[in-house]
């Protein structure tokens, strides 16, 4: 499945539902789809639109979904310059706990089985395995 | 996705979140609560019993609202988190920032 999403934060919810509702039954447990996949994809897509594409209406975010026997991989790629994912502060440290922003990658890493970035830093791959 | 606001007889505003609280709709929730705060309400319960998922932007807006309400001498409580949402609050340690009850009724009774 491939999906191009306009750089409009208001589209995140609909795009997430479109992807989640098109996964074949049995690929992942309903609970993993309803919570882990939806939350992680909303994070990745929101980050791509806001920080990657700067909400520029002339840019799109590309989503590609790959299905394996017991695995789902979701690639989310924006048109931005990329970023270094190794330099993100710990949102659970006392000095960051009351900050409004900065939890996105932390949440993604806890909800999926594997997270990978492309070399440029403008693409993320979310891997969720069955079970 | 939909937000509902109801004020109970003791003046506590109960906000229902149906669907999801994410980057695309968090401003709508924030504005509704800030409007009620501006109108004089000080006690708030956000009821997540009909909420499927919350992203980090949704969590962030709750942190922001809690601060603004506290600055006005009020309090924001959360209720109705399912097991997955409760885990999300625990792993982000936001469960230490909020008063969280099993149901909205319990939150109301504790005010």
């Amino acid at each position: 499945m491939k999906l191009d999403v306009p750089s409009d934060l208001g589209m995140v919810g609909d795009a997430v539902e479109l992807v989640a509702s098109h996964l074949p039954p049995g690929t992942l447990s309903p609970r993993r789809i309803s919570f882990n996949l939806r939350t992680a994809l909303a994070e990745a897509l929101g980050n791509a639109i806001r920080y990657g594409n700067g909400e520029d209406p002339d840019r799109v975010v590309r989503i590609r979904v790959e299905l394996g026997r017991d695995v789902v991989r979701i690639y989310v790629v924006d048109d931005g310059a990329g970023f270094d994912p190794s330099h993100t502060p710990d949102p659970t440290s006392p000095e960051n706990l009351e900050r409004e922003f900065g939890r996105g990658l932390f949440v993604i890493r806890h909800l999926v089985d594997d997270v990978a970035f492309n070399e440029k830093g403008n693409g993320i791959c979310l891997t969720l395995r069955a079970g | 996705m939909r937000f509902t606001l109801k004020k109970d007889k003791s003046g506590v505003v109960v906000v229902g979140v149906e669907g999801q609280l994410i980057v695309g709709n968090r401003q709508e929730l924030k504005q509704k609560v800030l409007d009620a705060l501006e109108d004089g309400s000080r006690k708030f319960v956000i009821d997540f019993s009909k909420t499927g998922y919350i992203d980090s932007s949704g969590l962030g807006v709750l942190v922001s609202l809690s601060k603004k309400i506290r600055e006005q001498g009020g309090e924001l409580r959360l209720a109705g988190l399912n097991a997955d949402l409760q885990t999300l609050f625990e792993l982000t340690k936001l469960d230490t920032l909020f008063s969280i009850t099993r149901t909205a009724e319990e939150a109301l009774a504790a005010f």
Side-chain angles (χ1 to χ4, degrees):
Chain A
M1 177 197 297
K2 290 182 180 178
L3 184 66
D4 286 351
V5 182
S7 293
D8 176 352
L9 292 172
M11 299 292 290
V12 170
D14 288 340
V16 168
E17 290 310 309
L18 196 57
V19 171
S21 64
H22 279 76
L23 289 181
T27 314
L28 299 172
S29 71
R31 186 172 176 178
R32 298 264 289 161
I33 293 173
S34 70
F35 185 74
N36 299 63
L37 183 144
R38 280 181 166 88
T39 307
L41 179 54
E43 293 287 359
L45 191 49
N47 285 345
I49 291 173
R50 182 196 278 165
Y51 302 116
N53 286 354
E55 299 183 56
D56 180 345
D58 292 331
R59 293 176 165 184
V60 297
V61 175
R62 293 170 297 285
I63 299 175
R64 180 165 58 89
V65 181
E66 283 181 3
L67 299 178
R69 184 180 298 170
D70 298 316
V71 67
V72 176
R73 289 190 180 85
I74 304 176
Y75 298 84
V76 179
V77 181
D78 60 57
D79 287 332
F83 81 111
D84 182 352
S86 65
H87 288 91
T88 53
D90 178 3
T92 66
S93 63
E95 67 271 21
N96 294 329
L97 203 53
E98 292 203 68
R99 288 183 59 190
E100 183 169 355
F101 301 104
R103 296 180 180 83
L105 270 182
F106 178 88
V107 168
I108 287 175
R109 286 187 166 118
H110 280 82
L111 292 182
V112 304
D113 295 298
D114 189 50
V115 181
F117 298 88
N118 65 8
E119 194 172 341
K120 187 179 175 185
N122 69 332
I124 188 171
C125 174
L126 313 173
T127 300
L128 292 98
R129 296 188 178 86
Chain B
M1 57 190 175
R2 194 165 74 98
F3 303 116
T4 58
L5 268 76
K6 289 180 187 168
K7 194 177 252 190
D8 88 332
K9 57 188 178 214
S10 58
V12 181
V13 176
V14 180
V15 184
V17 178
E18 296 181 18
Q20 66 268 14
L21 176 59
I22 60 172
V23 66
N25 65 355
R26 69 196 168 95
Q27 284 297 347
E28 182 185 345
L29 173 73
K30 187 173 187 177
Q31 197 55 56
K32 282 179 184 285
V33 173
L34 290 180
D35 287 346
L37 188 66
E38 178 76 21
D39 289 343
S41 297
R42 291 293 179 266
K43 295 177 181 176
F44 294 84
V45 175
I46 300 186
D47 181 2
F48 291 105
S49 59
K50 294 180 179 174
T51 308
Y53 64 102
I54 303 173
D55 72 2
S56 66
S57 294
L59 295 174
V61 88
L62 297 175
V63 172
S64 169
L65 284 173
S66 179
K67 267 198 277 192
K68 288 181 187 301
I69 292 168
R70 266 188 280 128
E71 286 166 5
Q72 298 295 321
E75 186 180 355
L76 169 64
R77 296 182 175 184
L78 310 182
L81 300 172
N82 64 29
D84 289 324
L85 291 175
Q86 180 70 36
T87 300
L88 181 67
F89 276 78
E90 289 170 4
L91 71 89
T92 54
K93 296 190 178 173
L94 291 180
D95 61 320
T96 64
L97 280 188
F98 292 98
S99 168
I100 300 174
T101 56
R102 198 171 52 85
T103 66
E105 290 73 21
E106 287 177 18
L108 287 168
F111 270 120

